[in-house]
Amino acid sequence: RIGAHACMALVGLLLLKFALLASLTSEQISILLVMPMLSRWVFQIGVIGFPYARPQGLGKGIHETTHWLPFLFTGCLVLAASFYLAGFAGLIAFGVCVIFVTLWATKISSLLGGLTGDLYGAMIELSEVVCLLAAFPFLR
C-alpha cells in the first residue's frame, strides 16, 4: 500500500528514467553499464554509514553483513570501471551519486532515526536516475 504522493513520485521517476534512456544514442550506450553498477554500489553508503531504523526487517541482514573494507575496495573498482566505460561522464556520475546518496540518507536518517530496506531500494532507483542526469550532458 502506498499513498497518492508516493504513487505520483513513482510515476514521475519512471517517466524521467524512460525519457533519459530513450534519448540515448548508440555512442552513449556505455552509461547503461555504469548506471546499474554504480547505483548498486552507492546505496551501501546508507547501509554502512547509517543505523538501521527497525529492530528487524529484510534490510537488517544487509545492514549487518556489509563492511567498510570490501565497500571501499569495490568502490575503487566501480570508479575505475565508470571512467573506463563512460570517461569523464562516468567520473561526474560517480561523484554526484555519492554526494546525493550521502545527503539524502543523512536527511532521512535524521527524520526516522535510521534507514530501512525500503529506503535502500529507493536509494538504488533514485541513484540510477541521478546517474543518468549527471552523466547525460558529458556523454560523447
Side-chain angles (χ1 to χ4, degrees), residues 30-132:
S30 63
I31 198 68
L32 291 180
L33 296 172
V34 173
M35 180 186 70
M37 176 181 55
L38 180 57
S39 66
R40 267 70 178 178
W41 175 79
V42 79
F43 96 97
Q44 294 179 66
I45 293 171
V47 174
I48 294 175
F50 299 91
Y52 196 72
R54 298 181 185 159
Q56 58 187 1
L58 295 176
K60 183 95 171 158
I62 296 171
H63 178 73
E64 292 174 346
T65 58
T66 306
H67 303 289
W68 279 106
L69 192 58
F71 167 73
L72 295 173
F73 176 71
T74 56
C76 292
L77 294 176
V78 169
L79 179 62
S82 296
F83 180 69
Y84 178 75
L85 293 169
F88 184 66
L91 294 179
I92 295 293
F94 184 90
V96 170
C97 284
V98 167
I99 291 167
F100 170 76
V101 167
T102 303
L103 293 175
W104 193 68
T106 302
K107 177 68 174 173
I108 297 296
S109 185
S110 69
L111 293 172
L112 299 178
L115 302 175
T116 64
D118 290 336
L119 292 170
Y120 295 161
M123 275 189 250
I124 291 172
E125 291 301 318
L126 287 171
S127 62
E128 282 184 351
V129 172
V130 168
C131 175
L132 287 173

Side-chain angles (χ1 to χ4, degrees), residues 12-27:
L13 178 85
L14 291 175
L15 285 173
L16 180 59
K17 189 185 292 188
F18 176 77
L20 289 166
L21 291 173
S23 61
L24 289 175
T25 64
S26 60
E27 293 85 27

